[in-house]
Amino acid sequence: MTRPDLTLEQAAAIGRETFGIDGAARDLGSQQDRNVRIDARGTSYVLKVSGFDVDPEVLDLQNRAMQHVGAARPGWVPRPVPALDGREVVPVYSGARGLFVRLLTWLPGTPLRGVGYFAPAVLSAAGGLAGRTAAALADFDHPAAARSLSWDVQRVGDVVAAVAPQVHDRKRRELAERVAERAVAALSSHEPNLRRQVVHGDVTDWNTLARLGPAGQLLPCGLIDFGDVVRTWRAAECAVAAVAFGTRSPHRTVQDAALLLQAFSAVARLDEDEVAALPAMMAARAALSALNCAWQAEQEPKDGYVTSGATESWRRLVILAEVPFALAHAAFREACGLRSSTRSPTAARTSGAALVPDLDRLVAVAVDLSVTSVLLHGGAWADRRQVEQVVETASSKNTVPIGRYGEARLPCDFGSTQDEPATVHLGVDLFLPVGTPVMAPLPGRVAAADRHGLVLDLDGVGGLRLTGIEPAVLAEGRVAPGDVVGKISPARMQALLPAHLHVQLVPSSVLDVPFLAPASLATAWRAVCPDPSPLLGFEAAVGPPEPQAVLARRRRHVASPQLLYYSDDPPQIERGWRQWLYDVGGRPYLDVINNVAIVGHSHPHIEAAAVQALRSLNTNSRFLYDALGRFAERLVALLPAPLDVVFFVSTGSEANDLALRLAREVTGRRDVLCHQSTYHGWTTALIETERAAPGVPSADESGHVHGIVRPTADPASAQRSLEHARRLVAELGALGRPPAALITEPVLGNEGGVVLPAGHLQQLYAMVRDAGGLCIADEVQVGYGRLGHHFWAFEQQRVVPDVVTIAKSTGNGYPVAAVITTSQIADEFGRHDDLFSSVGGSPAACAVGVAVLDVLAEERLQENAREVGYYLTERLRSLSQRHPVITGVHGMGLYRGIELVRQEDRPAPARMEAGAICDRMRQLGVIISTTGDARNVLKVKPPLCVTHDDIDTFASALDVTLTQGW
Ligand code: PMP
């Protein structure tokens, strides 16, 4: 079938003469028909033009199907518009050529074509769209629907046989033939049970229209192009959509398809056979598309629409060729709530032999290599010597140390990756001496053997893979129970684990079974490779982690205002190491949130200091012990005169609350200035600074805390802020209530790292001091070397505060906070009051505080913040040049705010998008959050031990997100 040729003028003329609409015509591109948009007096239409080689009955079928779906789902699909003579399919002549034309209403929405990424919510919506379409068409039929279509998965065998020989590209042809052959074989057993009906047949990203949803994603809202309507398998509607929306990597394809299927099946339930046939249907669809598109592209090499379709369908086929049907089937069953049908070798074991001599006598001792293992700390899981030691400790004459089935292990490479790493162990490891003989447990056949192990096909059980051994038998030979099949070989050079026998049940249908699976697919892989414990005679498995139960417990018992990151689907984070966080499935994430862990998570030096102190003494600061004075001495040494004494507390809120109290008691005043809506802590006194919002007109109407208009880095805005401050100070003076203090972050961290223009704080401080108030610098977030160029943020503004508050980084996560001021102010406060904090300044807090300062200095982390910060600036600058949504990069060193503004008719803060971007970044292995009044600023404040490589990881995840979508 060739595409009809027609000029836009001719199309406009048809619109006018045949349908009575007068407007400009624009080409829309298509694979089969010719589609032209006509805009006529505020209403838009699509003129669909087909050649005379198209059966008009088929065009009628399309129109009727559209009307049928439209009746069930108004506004979802285009409507056919009758011509002036009432017909909906009209033959016209353009020169000597005959054409059929149809006019359809224009459906509003953004096409999803070209979007490189579909979020889980989008996949579910696409599955729902396909499911509802199939459901709407379930009671529809038409004589032309039984047509034979080269895109129909039902016909994969015939179409491939007919089209493949015409495709010159050998590589593509052969791959498509191979995939199709596998699909046909798999489909044949289900075929008699597959339900048939009319389907749209082309629910793809190309044909789906979307609109911006509440979570910042483009959500499917409409379906066009009924050109492939056909009577075929009902499940094909789902398979087509799954291939179109979810082909990224083999693993992701299974996950994405499972999500889409779940939503499909919720509205158009698929039965056991349909679910079982779905993986093969997807493969069949991919093979058909790749071949048909390749053929079309060879006919029309200059048509960009056709050639880009060919490239895309080839990419999908390459990925789908790698998807094991058994895995997809297991995942799909799980998605549809069907029980997994795992085989179990239990019965067989009772009549069999032990895998290794004396196994029945040995006590299995689990070596905990999991994320929550208490045996492996400080990166030890990646150190062969330390892992060996842990195994050694579990081994004795009467024991066999084992690595458990189903355990999510910490990956031995540090760093986070965009693809989820494989971490869940699909077999059991038996750590035994090199040379230990390994026996066949049951009768069977040697299915395969190589230098590292073999696969036995055991009668009544199926595949058993034994690796880590030197095989003593050849492939294809028979084995009887007790036959020695090999002996344990020395561990390989690069292996992390010492010598061991790896025992894994494998299906004979999957050639390349992995040893480890990504946690998100672990349930499906567990169904494919079940627990071999029954073969061993002892329990060697751990159940999957249950983050949902953990979440439910938290929801039940933890007060709801204590919020969660990623509230809908939070990762269960159970370990931190340096700049990485690990979820319970062993996935590492680059941590871009935790400014508190300034020297990195689980730092051994900090741990040692805390342990030592907790083992010796932990009491309150009214006792005399050395640590308190030593820590105070270290802090004061970092500050300019006259800041020379320290109050110890535990949190930033306490520190700022105490700072306000100092100022009020020392000055005998109550009123305080801050910047409008800025956060300094959660105490009753401090929450007022957050509530000192814009719109509170004058001093006397706003209680005792008065918000100054917040400055930005822009000098004009900073000037306006100073003028407002001057007015407030004057008003307060006139009311006889001059301010006790000003409290502010010297760099506005919570606003996304706003660095104030030079001299700004000097002027503000002078104003406050002239009025007799004190100046409090909140260094809780921005101090302690994070800015790279300065240890304290107030240094950037060349001011010396009267009071400095510190917390967060001070204890690297352990509660350590302080207020540093002058002895004059402290003594004056002491004339009225004293301070007692039960745990502030405890020996352990002080030991940790000193250890943090030691590590900061020894590891030159402030310098690192500067150097890596430069690199971050460079990377962000280049990203902002390519992605117009980035309208500003604020901050310095390793405190950054990336401002996102939606570039539509009128620029608007991209709040929803920023949230969705964070979700997508998490999938790509980066944990980041938003800030700012409109929550449209991505806040970058990682531990200071991040490296240039981490910045690359971060920048590339952001680039992928902004390029492919979220
Ligand atoms: N000041 C600033 C600038 C902060 O960002 C925070 C915490 N986000 C605090 C004070 C309060 O610190 P804490 O949570 O330790 O009480």
Side-chain angles (χ1 to χ4, degrees):
M1 196 184 301
T2 49
R3 284 210 298 145
D5 237 352
L6 184 83
T7 65
L8 292 177
E9 290 73 33
Q10 286 167 330
I14 292 172
R16 239 181 354 261
E17 290 154 21
T18 312
F19 294 95
I21 56 159
D22 194 3
R26 235 180 318 148
D27 200 12
L28 290 170
S30 161
Q31 269 166 327
Q32 294 169 24
D33 302 331
R34 182 73 190 276
N35 295 332
V36 177
R37 173 172 171 164
I38 301 182
D39 295 307
R41 278 194 229 102
T43 310
S44 302
Y45 302 89
V46 181
L47 186 74
K48 286 187 91 72
V49 186
S50 322
F52 257 10
D53 49 357
V54 174
D55 179 356
E57 270 296 288
V58 168
L59 299 178
D60 184 63
L61 158 72
Q62 295 177 25
N63 280 0
R64 297 278 85 76
M66 234 178 289
Q67 275 162 340
H68 200 84
V69 176
R73 302 254 141 212
W76 251 32
V77 294
R79 260 182 308 104
V81 177
L84 291 171
D85 64 7
R87 286 183 295 178
E88 288 178 359
V89 178
V90 189
V92 296
Y93 289 86
S94 163
R97 286 169 43 84
L99 302 168
F100 289 117
V101 293
R102 287 175 295 151
L103 193 69
L104 306 180
T105 53
W106 174 262
L107 209 60
T110 310
L112 284 179
R113 171 187 171 190
V115 171
Y117 165 75
F118 299 112
V122 182
L123 292 167
S124 293
L129 181 87
R132 290 196 177 88
T133 306
L137 288 170
D139 60 351
F140 171 82
D141 214 348
H142 189 286
R147 67 193 171 131
S148 108
L149 192 70
S150 63
W151 300 85
D152 181 359
V153 287
Q154 193 182 211
R155 303 191 54 236
V156 58
D158 298 346
V159 175
V160 169
V163 180
Q166 300 179 51
V167 170
H168 292 110
D169 185 329
R170 203 175 115 219
K171 217 163 115 202
R172 292 191 184 193
R173 189 179 66 224
E174 287 180 359
L175 181 67
E177 283 174 335
R178 192 153 51 74
V179 173
E181 197 180 322
R182 192 158 68 98
V184 170
L187 284 166
S188 62
S189 59
H190 302 290
E191 167 126 42
N193 302 327
L194 297 177
R195 286 176 290 173
R196 288 179 164 77
Q197 68 161 67
V198 176
V199 300
H200 175 279
D202 207 15
V203 183
T204 62
D205 48 340
W206 287 51
N207 293 333
T208 301
L209 299 176
R211 75 167 82 89
L212 197 61
Q217 286 135 349
L218 281 173
L219 292 180
C221 64
L223 184 61
I224 56 172
D225 195 349
F226 278 60
D228 287 352
V229 169
V230 69
R231 188 177 166 76
T232 183
W233 297 319
R234 173 186 176 85
E237 193 85 298
C238 186
V240 168
V243 172
F245 280 93
T247 320
R248 284 185 281 158
S249 66
H251 272 148
R252 287 233 57 97
T253 296
V254 173
Q255 288 164 320
D256 289 356
L259 261 180
L260 188 139
L261 162 65
Q262 195 169 37
F264 183 99
S265 198
V267 286
R269 182 126 200 100
L270 294 184
D271 63 26
E272 296 248 357
D273 273 297
E274 288 167 330
V275 172
L278 205 59
M281 274 190 213
M282 288 174 63
R285 166 69 177 188
L288 281 180
S289 300
L291 269 188
N292 285 337
C293 290
W295 178 80
Q296 221 166 5
E298 285 179 4
Q299 309 308 303
E300 301 183 61
K302 292 211 179 70
D303 187 325
Y305 188 92
V306 169
T307 53
S308 74
T311 310
E312 183 52 23
S313 59
W314 166 248
R315 186 189 67 77
R316 291 175 200 277
L317 178 66
V318 170
I319 291 171
L320 269 159
E322 299 284 310
V323 174
F325 288 171
L327 174 72
H329 183 202
F332 293 172
R333 289 184 67 88
E334 187 192 338
C336 292
L338 299 172
R339 263 192 320 117
S340 73
S341 54
T342 53
R343 67 210 164 102
S344 164
T346 315
R349 168 71 186 97
T350 46
S351 59
L355 259 179
V356 293
D358 285 342
L359 190 57
D360 293 345
R361 189 186 56 77
L362 297 173
V363 177
V365 177
V367 178
D368 189 352
L369 300 172
S370 74
V371 178
T372 50
S373 172
V374 294
L375 305 173
L376 298 164
H377 286 302
W381 57 88
D383 176 8
R384 180 175 180 160
R385 208 178 37 80
Q386 298 192 57
V387 173
E388 251 168 26
Q389 248 169 25
V390 168
V391 173
E392 193 98 323
T393 313
S395 126
S396 76
K397 217 159 60 334
N398 298 319
T399 61
V400 51
I402 60 161
R404 291 166 300 173
Y405 169 83
E407 180 176 72
R409 295 179 174 175
L410 287 156
C412 50
D413 292 326
F414 295 122
S416 79
T417 48
Q418 295 190 355
D419 283 327
E420 184 187 1
T423 52
V424 178
H425 196 222
L426 295 173
V428 174
D429 295 326
L430 303 179
F431 296 97
L432 288 163
V434 172
T436 305
V438 176
M439 279 99 72
L442 295 163
R445 187 179 63 87
V446 183
D450 68 10
R451 276 189 308 132
H452 306 297
L454 45 77
V455 177
L456 299 177
D457 192 358
L458 300 179
D459 300 347
V461 171
L464 172 69
R465 177 157 78 181
L466 302 170
T467 44
I469 66 171
E470 206 177 293
V473 287
L474 294 176
E476 296 308 325
R478 288 280 315 166
V479 288
D483 282 359
V484 173
V485 293
K487 58 181 197 295
I488 296 186
S489 47
R492 284 199 252 170
M493 281 291 282
Q494 65 286 34
L496 185 71
L497 298 179
H500 66 275
L501 166 66
H502 173 93
V503 182
Q504 184 175 359
L505 292 173
V506 293
S508 49
S509 60
V510 184
L511 296 177
D512 234 352
V513 186
F515 293 99
L516 298 160
S520 57
L521 272 180
T523 309
W525 271 116
R526 284 169 85 118
V528 177
C529 301
D531 175 12
S533 295
L535 257 189
L536 299 168
F538 50 78
E539 186 53 51
V542 279
E546 292 180 331
Q548 288 311 321
V550 173
L551 181 61
R553 188 176 307 124
R554 174 174 166 135
R555 291 213 164 120
R556 240 186 344 265
H557 299 299
V558 176
S560 60
Q562 291 217 297
L563 304 179
L564 267 169
Y565 294 121
Y566 311 102
S567 55
D568 292 342
D569 170 33
Q572 185 185 337
I573 301 292
E574 293 290 356
R575 191 179 279 275
W577 170 238
R578 298 185 60 80
Q579 59 272 45
W580 302 289
L581 293 170
Y582 294 83
D583 69 18
V584 74
R587 173 157 202 195
Y589 300 90
L590 178 65
D591 179 3
V592 182
I593 281 185
N594 274 284
N595 52 346
V596 174
I598 194 162
V599 301
H601 295 279
S602 311
H603 197 291
H605 191 58
I606 314 288
E607 175 202 323
V611 168
Q612 180 57 31
L614 291 171
R615 280 179 178 168
S616 320
L617 170 75
N618 209 22
T619 185
N620 72 66
S621 60
R622 282 191 175 155
F623 289 99
L624 177 65
Y625 45 84
D626 196 24
L628 194 78
R630 281 193 185 274
F631 184 29
E633 186 178 56
R634 293 285 297 274
L635 286 174
V636 167
L638 290 165
L639 283 149
L643 296 161
D644 59 353
V645 289
V646 185
F647 288 92
F648 285 106
V649 287
S650 303
T651 66
S653 302
E654 288 173 42
N656 284 330
D657 197 280
L658 176 60
L660 291 190
R661 202 172 127 207
L662 283 181
R664 284 173 167 155
E665 298 221 2
V666 167
T667 60
R669 303 171 179 177
R670 280 214 58 72
D671 291 83
V672 168
L673 295 173
C674 63
H675 283 119
Q676 284 175 343
S677 311
T678 47
Y679 184 75
H680 294 286
W682 48 260
T683 66
T684 310
L686 289 168
I687 215 67
E688 296 297 319
T689 66
E690 212 185 3
R691 294 184 182 154
V696 178
S698 67
D700 62 333
E701 288 175 47
S702 59
H704 290 281
V705 175
H706 313 279
I708 305 166
V709 167
R710 228 161 45 207
T712 67
D714 167 34
S717 131
Q719 195 53 41
R720 279 196 297 280
S721 169
L722 284 175
E723 281 156 19
H724 185 225
R726 192 164 289 121
R727 254 196 339 270
L728 276 176
V729 172
E731 278 179 38
L732 286 167
L735 291 166
R737 288 165 45 190
L742 161 79
I743 182 168
T744 181
E745 289 188 270
V747 162
L748 304 187
N750 285 318
E751 284 58 59
V754 174
V755 179
L756 300 169
H760 185 88
L761 275 195
Q762 285 173 345
Q763 295 186 59
L764 191 57
Y765 275 25
M767 229 180 267
V768 174
R769 283 174 171 154
D770 285 349
L774 299 183
C775 296
I776 303 166
D778 179 346
E779 294 276 351
V780 167
Q781 276 214 97
V782 286
Y784 250 56
R786 174 162 293 281
L787 300 182
H789 299 263
H790 313 282
F791 191 84
W792 302 110
F794 64 74
E795 292 170 312
Q796 193 274 332
Q797 285 287 303
R798 297 175 189 273
V799 290
V800 176
D802 302 300
V803 182
V804 173
T805 57
I806 57 172
K808 294 197 198 257
S809 317
T810 326
N812 206 54
Y814 192 91
V816 183
V819 178
I820 306 154
T821 186
T822 66
S823 30
Q824 198 197 347
I825 293 173
D827 294 347
E828 180 59 28
F829 173 77
R831 293 206 302 120
H832 313 278
D833 227 333
D834 65 3
L835 179 84
F836 176 68
S837 163
S838 301
V839 293
S842 69
C846 292
V848 167
V850 169
V852 170
L853 289 175
D854 285 342
V855 174
L856 277 175
E858 278 158 23
E859 297 184 7
R860 300 171 56 80
L861 292 179
Q862 183 185 336
E863 288 83 344
N864 192 57
R866 191 178 57 226
E867 292 308 315
V868 174
Y870 276 134
Y871 186 54
L872 177 60
T873 309
E874 248 173 63
R875 294 297 313 257
L876 290 177
R877 192 169 296 145
S878 105
L879 282 179
S880 68
Q881 278 159 5
R882 277 182 299 116
H883 301 290
V885 70
I886 301 181
T887 52
V889 177
H890 309 292
M892 63 198 302
L894 289 176
Y895 200 111
R896 294 304 173 95
I898 306 169
E899 191 166 349
L900 305 174
V901 172
R902 195 181 305 149
Q903 304 298 329
E904 280 175 0
D905 314 342
R906 233 183 299 136
R911 180 198 187 104
M912 292 182 309
E913 292 84 343
I917 287 168
C918 290
D919 288 348
R920 173 69 173 132
M921 295 279 282
R922 167 191 161 189
Q923 285 194 349
L924 295 170
V926 176
I927 289 207
I928 186 169
S929 65
T930 59
T931 190
D933 295 336
R935 300 221 75 81
N936 67 323
V937 179
L938 299 177
K939 193 149 74 159
V940 181
K941 47 185 178 70
L944 298 193
C945 54
V946 288
T947 62
H948 289 73
D949 282 351
D950 297 316
I951 298 305
D952 285 337
T953 299
F954 168 69
S956 117
L958 185 56
D959 194 17
V960 166
T961 304
L962 297 180
T963 306
Q964 296 184 344
W966 47 85

PDB file of all heavy atoms in Angstrom, residues 80 130 250 272 366 532 609 696 798 805 889 900 919 959:
ATOM      1  N   PRO A  80     -16.021  11.109  13.424  1.00  0.00           N
ATOM      2  CA  PRO A  80     -16.117  11.376  11.978  1.00  0.00           C
ATOM      3  C   PRO A  80     -17.112  12.513  11.713  1.00  0.00           C
ATOM      4  O   PRO A  80     -18.145  12.591  12.379  1.00  0.00           O
ATOM      5  CB  PRO A  80     -16.661  10.059  11.397  1.00  0.00           C
ATOM      6  CG  PRO A  80     -16.523   9.042  12.491  1.00  0.00           C
ATOM      7  CD  PRO A  80     -16.550   9.785  13.780  1.00  0.00           C
ATOM      8  N   ALA A 130      -5.666   1.727  27.174  1.00  0.00           N
ATOM      9  CA  ALA A 130      -5.758   0.554  26.291  1.00  0.00           C
ATOM     10  C   ALA A 130      -6.861  -0.386  26.790  1.00  0.00           C
ATOM     11  O   ALA A 130      -7.656  -0.905  25.995  1.00  0.00           O
ATOM     12  CB  ALA A 130      -4.415  -0.167  26.241  1.00  0.00           C
ATOM     13  N   PRO A 250      15.907  -4.584  28.989  1.00  0.00           N
ATOM     14  CA  PRO A 250      15.117  -5.808  29.165  1.00  0.00           C
ATOM     15  C   PRO A 250      14.411  -5.840  30.524  1.00  0.00           C
ATOM     16  O   PRO A 250      13.225  -6.172  30.587  1.00  0.00           O
ATOM     17  CB  PRO A 250      16.153  -6.911  29.032  1.00  0.00           C
ATOM     18  CG  PRO A 250      17.207  -6.331  28.148  1.00  0.00           C
ATOM     19  CD  PRO A 250      17.255  -4.871  28.487  1.00  0.00           C
ATOM     20  N   GLU A 272      -5.738 -16.377  32.684  1.00  0.00           N
ATOM     21  CA  GLU A 272      -4.430 -17.035  32.840  1.00  0.00           C
ATOM     22  C   GLU A 272      -3.725 -17.233  31.501  1.00  0.00           C
ATOM     23  O   GLU A 272      -2.533 -16.976  31.375  1.00  0.00           O
ATOM     24  CB  GLU A 272      -4.614 -18.396  33.511  1.00  0.00           C
ATOM     25  CG  GLU A 272      -5.152 -18.315  34.917  1.00  0.00           C
ATOM     26  CD  GLU A 272      -4.139 -18.753  35.968  1.00  0.00           C
ATOM     27  OE1 GLU A 272      -3.041 -19.164  35.579  1.00  0.00           O
ATOM     28  OE2 GLU A 272      -4.467 -18.637  37.165  1.00  0.00           O
ATOM     29  N   ALA A 366      24.224 -19.161  58.500  1.00  0.00           N
ATOM     30  CA  ALA A 366      24.048 -18.115  57.492  1.00  0.00           C
ATOM     31  C   ALA A 366      25.095 -17.014  57.673  1.00  0.00           C
ATOM     32  O   ALA A 366      25.316 -16.540  58.786  1.00  0.00           O
ATOM     33  CB  ALA A 366      22.658 -17.525  57.615  1.00  0.00           C
ATOM     34  N   PRO A 532      16.199 -23.274  46.458  1.00  0.00           N
ATOM     35  CA  PRO A 532      16.691 -24.657  46.423  1.00  0.00           C
ATOM     36  C   PRO A 532      16.827 -25.301  47.809  1.00  0.00           C
ATOM     37  O   PRO A 532      17.331 -26.423  47.907  1.00  0.00           O
ATOM     38  CB  PRO A 532      18.069 -24.517  45.763  1.00  0.00           C
ATOM     39  CG  PRO A 532      18.514 -23.143  46.072  1.00  0.00           C
ATOM     40  CD  PRO A 532      17.289 -22.297  46.321  1.00  0.00           C
ATOM     41  N   ALA A 609      34.701   7.614  67.661  1.00  0.00           N
ATOM     42  CA  ALA A 609      34.667   8.626  68.731  1.00  0.00           C
ATOM     43  C   ALA A 609      33.402   8.451  69.580  1.00  0.00           C
ATOM     44  O   ALA A 609      33.461   8.500  70.819  1.00  0.00           O
ATOM     45  CB  ALA A 609      34.710  10.025  68.114  1.00  0.00           C
ATOM     46  N   VAL A 696       2.135  41.289  55.680  1.00  0.00           N
ATOM     47  CA  VAL A 696       1.911  41.848  57.014  1.00  0.00           C
ATOM     48  C   VAL A 696       2.441  43.279  56.948  1.00  0.00           C
ATOM     49  O   VAL A 696       3.627  43.498  56.804  1.00  0.00           O
ATOM     50  CB  VAL A 696       2.655  41.032  58.090  1.00  0.00           C
ATOM     51  CG1 VAL A 696       2.446  41.655  59.464  1.00  0.00           C
ATOM     52  CG2 VAL A 696       2.162  39.603  58.079  1.00  0.00           C
ATOM     53  N   ARG A 798      31.423  39.572  54.879  1.00  0.00           N
ATOM     54  CA  ARG A 798      32.397  40.394  55.630  1.00  0.00           C
ATOM     55  C   ARG A 798      31.765  41.074  56.837  1.00  0.00           C
ATOM     56  O   ARG A 798      31.874  42.290  57.014  1.00  0.00           O
ATOM     57  CB  ARG A 798      33.033  41.456  54.714  1.00  0.00           C
ATOM     58  CG  ARG A 798      33.836  40.852  53.594  1.00  0.00           C
ATOM     59  CD  ARG A 798      34.320  41.940  52.661  1.00  0.00           C
ATOM     60  NE  ARG A 798      34.919  41.370  51.474  1.00  0.00           N
ATOM     61  CZ  ARG A 798      36.180  41.014  51.377  1.00  0.00           C
ATOM     62  NH1 ARG A 798      36.985  41.172  52.385  1.00  0.00           N
ATOM     63  NH2 ARG A 798      36.653  40.496  50.256  1.00  0.00           N
ATOM     64  N   THR A 805      24.837  30.552  65.468  1.00  0.00           N
ATOM     65  CA  THR A 805      24.248  29.267  65.866  1.00  0.00           C
ATOM     66  C   THR A 805      24.686  28.181  64.890  1.00  0.00           C
ATOM     67  O   THR A 805      24.750  28.410  63.679  1.00  0.00           O
ATOM     68  CB  THR A 805      22.707  29.332  65.871  1.00  0.00           C
ATOM     69  OG1 THR A 805      22.259  29.721  64.570  1.00  0.00           O
ATOM     70  CG2 THR A 805      22.204  30.308  66.900  1.00  0.00           C
ATOM     71  N   VAL A 889      20.842  29.303  38.620  1.00  0.00           N
ATOM     72  CA  VAL A 889      21.609  28.413  39.497  1.00  0.00           C
ATOM     73  C   VAL A 889      22.172  29.281  40.610  1.00  0.00           C
ATOM     74  O   VAL A 889      22.917  30.215  40.355  1.00  0.00           O
ATOM     75  CB  VAL A 889      22.738  27.711  38.720  1.00  0.00           C
ATOM     76  CG1 VAL A 889      23.560  26.858  39.676  1.00  0.00           C
ATOM     77  CG2 VAL A 889      22.178  26.853  37.594  1.00  0.00           C
ATOM     78  N   LEU A 900      13.684  26.185  38.613  1.00  0.00           N
ATOM     79  CA  LEU A 900      13.004  25.665  37.417  1.00  0.00           C
ATOM     80  C   LEU A 900      11.752  26.491  37.133  1.00  0.00           C
ATOM     81  O   LEU A 900      10.905  26.664  38.008  1.00  0.00           O
ATOM     82  CB  LEU A 900      12.607  24.203  37.633  1.00  0.00           C
ATOM     83  CG  LEU A 900      13.748  23.258  38.025  1.00  0.00           C
ATOM     84  CD1 LEU A 900      13.200  21.863  38.346  1.00  0.00           C
ATOM     85  CD2 LEU A 900      14.781  23.158  36.913  1.00  0.00           C
ATOM     86  N   ASP A 919      11.324  12.626  41.558  1.00  0.00           N
ATOM     87  CA  ASP A 919      10.932  11.207  41.487  1.00  0.00           C
ATOM     88  C   ASP A 919      11.738  10.474  40.417  1.00  0.00           C
ATOM     89  O   ASP A 919      12.203   9.357  40.614  1.00  0.00           O
ATOM     90  CB  ASP A 919       9.438  11.073  41.158  1.00  0.00           C
ATOM     91  CG  ASP A 919       8.576  11.468  42.352  1.00  0.00           C
ATOM     92  OD1 ASP A 919       9.115  11.610  43.463  1.00  0.00           O
ATOM     93  OD2 ASP A 919       7.356  11.659  42.159  1.00  0.00           O
ATOM     94  N   ASP A 959      20.377  15.582  33.324  1.00  0.00           N
ATOM     95  CA  ASP A 959      20.316  15.766  31.884  1.00  0.00           C
ATOM     96  C   ASP A 959      19.338  14.767  31.261  1.00  0.00           C
ATOM     97  O   ASP A 959      18.467  15.134  30.453  1.00  0.00           O
ATOM     98  CB  ASP A 959      21.725  15.580  31.301  1.00  0.00           C
ATOM     99  CG  ASP A 959      21.819  16.083  29.874  1.00  0.00           C
ATOM    100  OD1 ASP A 959      20.917  16.844  29.456  1.00  0.00           O
ATOM    101  OD2 ASP A 959      22.782  15.729  29.175  1.00  0.00           O
TER     102      ASP A 959
END
